Amino acid sequence: MTAWIPGEADGEAYKRYAPATLRNRDAILAVLRAALPSSGLVLEVASGSGEHAVHFAAALPALDWQPSDPDPAALASIEAWRAEARLPNLRAPMLLDAAADWPIDRADAMVCINMTHISPWAATVGLFTHGARLLQTGAPLILYGPYFQADVAPAPSNVEFDASLRARDPRWGIRALEDVAALATTQGFALDCVEAMPANNLTLIFRRS
């Protein structure tokens, strides 16, 4: 397993802060408590600032938490938060691009927060393709973020958010839940549960079938 090797990323200068984290972390944690296994290795894909990783690892001490991200600045932030927290079950961040090869051979669960709408579709394809290789039958792959649903009127804020994302990068945008579920099925996953979350977000729980 290849982890990112930190330099001196243990100070405030390296930390990133995601304001949404404080608002959503406990709601996400409540879902994770019910969906994750009681022990084992959780791979978090696209960990961003690292604030979620610290919060979840502290709250779930029986699980080993492996954060990852493709952005070197995000990796430095994750390591800075990790160095401060000094949690024995929080591993050094791993350089991982969801759309490319993955430097990890196994996991007992996967978590991905707020990635699918701010990345090309190829990243979501990679998430399920590699998840099928890493996870055993019944293991969860958990996504959090905004999704459109065919039978649900979209929130105006999500419509505006989608337009702003596509203006920034035409490869980005809020995904249709049905498209993600169809992709998951091709890779041997079944949609187990859809949880409504604050601020017009959803948690999607897929399981390896």
Side-chain angles (χ1 to χ4, degrees), residues 112-171:
C112 183
I113 297 169
N114 284 332
M115 182 199 80
T116 61
H117 58 287
I118 52 173
S119 61
W121 179 245
T124 302
V125 172
L127 190 69
F128 284 98
T129 302
H130 290 288
R133 177 176 60 84
L134 267 59
L135 299 176
Q136 298 296 312
T137 300
L141 192 164
I142 302 170
L143 305 184
Y144 169 90
Y147 293 90
F148 291 136
Q149 294 174 274
D151 57 348
V152 178
S157 60
N158 277 355
V159 174
E160 294 174 8
F161 184 37
D162 179 60
S164 70
L165 290 170
R166 294 180 187 279
R168 289 169 60 189
D169 189 324
R171 301 173 301 167

Side-chain angles (χ1 to χ4, degrees), residues 1-3 40-45 64-69 91-98 100-111 126-127 129-135:
M1 186 182 298
T2 304
L41 175 64
V42 179
L43 171 63
E44 183 185 5
V45 178
D64 285 325
W65 203 271
Q66 175 63 70
S68 70
D69 206 274
R91 298 188 176 191
M94 174 185 295
L95 179 63
L96 188 152
D97 180 346
D101 292 334
W102 287 22
I104 182 170
D105 296 324
R106 59 163 295 276
D108 298 294
M110 286 170 52
V111 173
L127 190 69
T129 302
H130 290 288
R133 177 176 60 84
L134 267 59
L135 299 176

Side-chain angles (χ1 to χ4, degrees), residues 5-31:
I5 305 301
E8 305 207 357
D10 57 352
E12 287 293 325
Y14 292 93
K15 283 184 180 177
R16 287 179 168 183
Y17 294 85
T21 302
L22 288 176
R23 298 193 297 268
N24 65 31
R25 65 185 188 181
D26 288 322
I28 297 173
L29 177 60
V31 176

